Amino acid sequence: MKNLTRIYRIMIRHYGYLIAGLFFMLGYALFSGASITMAVPFFDYVFPSVKGEIIYTDLPQFIEAVREATLTFVRAESLGSLLNINNLRPLLEDYGLIMEQTDSMLVLKIVAGLVLIIVFIKNLFFFFNRLMFANLNGKTTVDIRNMIFRNYLRQSLRFFTKHRVGDSLVRMVSDVEIVSHLFITSMFNAIRDFLLVLVFARIAIFLNMRLFLISLVVLPLTTFLVATVGKKIKKYARRIQSQFSNLYSGVEEVLSNMKIVKAFGREDEQFSVFSRINRQFFKFWRKAEIYSGFNVPISEMNGAITGVIILLIGGAEVIGGTSNFTFGEFTAFLFAIFSMLHPIKSISKTYNDVKKALVSLDRISEVMFNEPDLLEAKDAVNKEGFNDKIEFNRVSFSYEIPLTGESSEELPRKEVLREISFTINKGETVAIVGSSGAGKTTLVNLLLRLYDVNEGEILIDGIPLKKIKIKDLRDLFGIVTQESLIFSDTVANNIRFGTRKEVSPEDIKKAAEIAYAAEFIENLPDQYDEMLHSKGGTLSGGQKQRLCIARAVVGDPPVLIFDEATSSLDTEAEKKVQVAIEQATRSRTVLIIAHRLSTVLSADKILVLDEGGIVGIGRHAELLESCPRYRILYELQFNI
């Protein structure tokens, strides 16, 4: 209920559409009721068995008589009494007397005209009701998706180690669609149907209360059956959405890694995995559909039994003449009762659909209202430049190990860094080396505050990272990662992505020249306006990496980070990228994470990491003498 309240708070922002939709909904219900009451004059006064003296033979006479009767009634009654339908009987009897004294053909024409007018107005209200709620649904859906995506962007990388990309997409697309459709569109349709039931029920009670009460005998049984079916549907809906996430995640992973799948000939194996998940999805879906299929038969049988009871009892009253229940009133009563059946059936279907949607509501609420574990301090300060040094002070960090099928907060942890302490002075080039898994990239992630440290602290110019506004902190760094991440956008926009500042085309070209990327960009058909394919598929590895260097330097950040920026390149491409790095790092503070020692031999300071701890700090020559681990790495790489 708490999550549902939150969704409706989002919806209420668009209260204009809500109020207008409710107004048109009420109008539709009232005119729907009015349309079935036309059966009374049609059967009782157009085709009467006995017709009295004809007084009114033309429309003006008829209208004048109706006007006089109405004014006389209104003058005799108080305003409050007019709101009670039972107090309207004297007026309706006067209308009946007027129609008895009116030519039958004229009554037929009047009734036919009123039916057309009422049906037209009713459908006009219906159209605007749908239009208002379509806008309400659409705008609320936009808000929900925006909130979910914004919350995804607020999360630390820790969050994404526990949630697969495919599952995140299912929550944003499928789950949001289900929630918005059922808790907004279908829920308000159910309210509209409920209003129709109330209007039709009130008409039926007005016409014959005893017969209406008899018709309610079957309703409790139907309600019980619908509730039982709803529980089953909710259970299978949860399984369906979970399996849908598995299906989506599997497809996303395979398509993203198609090169590896094909390279190792795993197409058949991956198809088998997909086919198994798809079959399981179908089984859950089929069971949910089977239970949903009970709705219509239950409602139809309810309608048939109710209808037969009313026909037998009400028909006997009309035929036997044992009451004042006229044929026209009986016909209108039948219309009212049978008109109730469809809205009741729709309400029961909505009830079962809501059971299904509660699962999706829980899934999107887990993300939409999940507070990020990485928060900006309330007293965070602005930091517009780097003046002195970066300090790591006894920093320790451990990852949570995600478990398949687990969503528990208490996950086992793996220690990655322990008791890390070192300093990066302004203007220095500091290199971090070590074997894979030693924690090199984790140090960078902590410096960028993509994660928060578990123990210790990191300071920039004496200010703890947690005390610096996150956007200001990130503006201090330009980063080039091992994987060349390129967006499906123009070359210029890919470079511009590296800074939040306004940059001119000249700034972009200058960044490209610093990164030695201008030479290949200017050979592209549209140069800086060239649209790049997904992941930069039309560029070579070296070209993509030089584009990433241009992106890193375009905002002129005071600190540059190169996270194994050349490790995946061939020798020729590595040389070009290395030249670009040397050009980009002039007069800057630089942090280089390197697997190849040849790229860091001239660094001012080299940190040697091993199993999460620092085992050596110094220049290349010093470490060869003092650090056995560095010496082993050096000898292995240079075949000494």
Side-chain angles (χ1 to χ4, degrees):
M1 183 58 70
K2 181 180 179 181
N3 291 334
L4 186 57
T5 302
R6 287 167 165 173
I7 294 296
Y8 284 135
R9 282 177 182 168
I10 297 170
M11 180 198 70
I12 207 72
R13 298 172 186 173
H14 309 289
Y15 61 87
Y17 291 112
L18 175 61
I19 294 171
L22 291 173
F23 169 76
F24 288 117
M25 175 192 294
L26 179 61
Y28 171 73
L30 293 175
F31 279 98
S32 294
S35 65
I36 66 171
T37 60
M38 290 295 100
V40 176
F42 185 79
F43 287 103
D44 283 351
Y45 303 113
V46 174
F47 306 108
S49 55
V50 179
K51 191 75 172 178
E53 181 185 359
I54 304 299
I55 298 176
Y56 311 108
T57 57
D58 58 38
L59 185 60
Q61 290 178 331
F62 178 82
I63 293 175
E64 180 61 26
V66 169
R67 189 180 75 83
E68 286 294 331
T70 304
L71 290 175
T72 302
F73 175 78
V74 170
R75 292 190 190 104
E77 298 288 337
S78 65
L79 180 62
S81 65
L82 295 177
L83 299 177
N84 188 341
I85 190 172
N86 291 320
N87 294 333
L88 298 178
R89 282 193 177 278
L91 177 62
L92 296 178
E93 290 174 358
D94 289 342
Y95 287 164
L97 180 61
I98 292 171
M99 282 186 282
E100 283 183 0
Q101 298 172 341
T102 303
D103 179 67
S104 294
M105 195 62 196
L106 179 59
V107 174
L108 177 62
K109 292 177 181 179
I110 291 170
V111 171
L114 285 175
V115 168
L116 287 177
I117 293 171
I118 291 173
V119 170
F120 174 77
I121 296 174
K122 180 185 81 169
N123 283 282
L124 199 63
F125 274 94
F126 177 81
F127 171 78
F128 283 108
N129 168 247
R130 287 289 298 270
L131 183 63
M132 294 302 106
F133 284 137
N135 276 286
L136 183 66
N137 181 19
K139 288 181 176 293
T140 305
T141 301
V142 168
D143 288 348
I144 292 173
R145 286 207 175 108
N146 284 343
M147 287 182 67
I148 292 177
F149 191 65
R150 180 177 291 278
N151 217 30
Y152 273 133
L153 295 175
R154 293 174 61 213
Q155 304 299 324
S156 70
L157 290 184
R158 193 190 305 270
F159 174 89
F160 295 99
T161 62
K162 294 191 276 185
H163 294 81
R164 295 174 297 176
V165 173
D167 180 66
S168 300
L169 293 175
V170 169
R171 291 175 194 251
M172 279 196 64
V173 179
S174 175
D175 286 317
V176 170
E177 188 68 30
I178 290 171
V179 167
S180 62
H181 174 71
L182 289 171
F183 284 115
I184 298 176
T185 302
S186 294
M187 189 64 76
F188 281 110
N189 285 346
I191 294 173
R192 183 191 66 208
D193 291 332
F194 182 70
L195 282 175
L196 287 173
V197 170
L198 289 181
V199 169
F200 294 140
R202 190 67 187 88
I203 291 171
I205 291 171
F206 178 77
L207 293 172
N208 194 317
M209 179 179 288
R210 186 178 72 88
L211 197 57
F212 175 76
L213 293 175
I214 293 173
S215 69
L216 296 181
V217 173
V218 189
L219 188 60
L221 176 63
T222 305
T223 304
F224 172 75
L225 292 174
V226 168
T228 303
V229 170
K231 291 179 182 178
K232 291 288 186 181
I233 289 175
K234 183 179 179 181
K235 181 178 76 172
Y236 284 104
R238 190 180 304 279
R239 296 180 180 179
I240 286 170
Q241 287 306 103
S242 175
Q243 205 67 13
F244 191 32
S245 291
N246 292 336
L247 188 73
Y248 210 114
S249 295
V251 171
E252 188 272 333
E253 288 173 3
V254 171
L255 296 182
S256 297
N257 298 286
M258 187 59 72
K259 183 177 180 180
I260 299 298
V261 173
K262 289 187 173 293
F264 289 97
R266 297 286 184 170
E267 294 94 338
D268 292 339
E269 180 182 313
Q270 291 300 319
F271 178 77
S272 297
V273 172
F274 173 82
S275 182
R276 184 176 66 252
I277 297 173
N278 204 16
R279 279 197 307 274
Q280 193 63 43
F281 175 84
F282 167 71
K283 289 178 181 178
F284 293 147
W285 174 84
R286 180 174 58 188
K287 287 184 178 180
E289 287 298 305
I290 289 172
Y291 283 111
S292 295
F294 283 118
N295 283 335
V296 173
I298 290 172
S299 298
E300 291 293 337
M301 284 303 300
N302 174 56
I305 295 171
T306 303
V308 168
I309 292 173
I310 292 171
L311 282 171
L312 290 174
I313 299 175
E317 287 188 17
V318 174
I319 294 172
T322 57
S323 69
N324 294 325
F325 202 33
T326 68
F327 180 60
E329 290 173 340
F330 178 56
T331 305
F333 183 89
L334 286 176
F335 284 161
I337 292 297
F338 283 107
S339 295
M340 288 171 59
L341 296 180
H342 178 71
I344 289 174
K345 183 166 62 177
S346 296
I347 291 170
S348 67
K349 182 179 183 303
T350 300
Y351 173 80
N352 288 328
D353 288 342
V354 164
K355 286 289 185 181
K356 189 189 304 181
L358 285 172
V359 177
S360 293
L361 177 63
D362 291 341
R363 282 169 52 82
I364 67 171
S365 296
E366 286 175 12
V367 176
M368 189 160 59
F369 306 112
N370 178 61
E371 281 298 321
D373 58 344
L374 195 155
L375 296 171
E376 186 171 87
K378 293 181 179 178
D379 57 347
V381 298
N382 294 104
K383 187 78 173 72
E384 296 183 355
F386 173 50
N387 304 314
D388 186 18
K389 60 185 176 182
I390 298 170
E391 300 171 87
F392 279 70
N393 185 12
R394 301 177 67 85
V395 169
S396 296
F397 180 77
S398 58
Y399 283 114
E400 289 177 337
I401 303 173
L403 301 177
T404 304
E406 292 286 337
S407 60
S408 172
E409 296 286 337
E410 299 296 328
L411 295 175
R413 307 183 73 88
K414 176 185 177 182
E415 187 178 55
V416 181
L417 297 172
R418 65 178 183 280
E419 298 288 322
I420 298 294
S421 296
F422 68 94
T423 301
I424 304 172
N425 295 309
K426 183 176 181 179
E428 276 189 333
T429 297
V430 177
I432 304 175
V433 300
S435 57
S436 297
K440 303 186 297 296
T441 298
T442 301
L443 274 177
V444 172
N445 291 338
L446 293 175
L447 180 58
L448 292 170
R449 211 184 164 204
L450 301 178
Y451 298 99
D452 273 335
V453 300
N454 297 128
E455 296 178 18
E457 63 179 351
I458 304 172
L459 303 97
I460 297 179
D461 294 337
I463 306 172
L465 250 57
K466 291 183 179 180
K467 294 290 185 179
I468 301 174
K469 290 187 176 179
I470 293 176
K471 288 187 177 180
D472 285 355
L473 172 66
R474 306 272 168 79
D475 285 344
L476 298 177
F477 302 98
I479 183 169
V480 181
T481 60
Q482 178 180 358
E483 184 181 0
S484 305
L485 301 174
I486 302 296
F487 294 94
S488 299
D489 206 335
T490 63
V491 170
N493 284 341
N494 266 279
I495 296 174
R496 187 180 286 112
F497 195 85
T499 180
R500 294 187 299 117
K501 303 174 185 176
E502 289 292 329
V503 291
S504 66
E506 289 71 25
D507 294 327
I508 292 172
K509 289 180 181 179
K510 181 180 178 181
E513 289 168 357
I514 292 173
Y516 284 92
E519 62 176 12
F520 74 84
I521 293 174
E522 290 172 0
N523 289 326
L524 296 173
D526 294 320
Q527 298 186 352
Y528 289 89
D529 293 325
E530 180 78 7
M531 183 64 68
L532 299 179
H533 294 184
S534 177
K535 298 183 180 180
T538 56
L539 303 178
S540 69
Q543 289 173 334
K544 287 190 288 186
Q545 201 65 310
R546 281 182 280 165
L547 199 59
C548 290
I549 294 172
R551 181 168 63 201
V553 302
V554 70
D556 194 25
V559 183
L560 285 179
I561 300 173
F562 295 90
D563 186 358
E564 300 198 34
T566 63
S567 62
S568 61
L569 304 177
D570 58 48
T571 303
E572 183 179 357
E574 180 185 358
K575 288 181 178 179
K576 290 182 179 180
V577 171
Q578 194 61 46
V579 170
I581 291 174
E582 291 172 1
Q583 172 78 355
T585 56
R586 289 176 185 170
S587 303
R588 296 179 193 269
T589 305
V590 183
L591 180 60
I592 299 176
I593 295 175
H595 183 69
R596 299 177 184 176
L597 299 186
S598 59
T599 60
V600 300
L601 297 181
S602 60
D604 298 314
K605 186 186 297 179
I606 301 174
L607 278 68
V608 185
L609 287 185
D610 188 38
E611 296 183 356
I614 296 178
V615 295
I617 299 179
R619 289 179 175 271
H620 168 65
E622 296 169 351
L623 291 172
L624 284 177
E625 295 292 331
S626 62
C627 182
R629 180 60 184 163
Y630 183 81
R631 188 163 55 249
I632 291 172
L633 293 173
Y634 180 78
E635 290 173 354
L636 287 173
Q637 291 191 28
F638 289 93
N639 296 317
I640 296 176

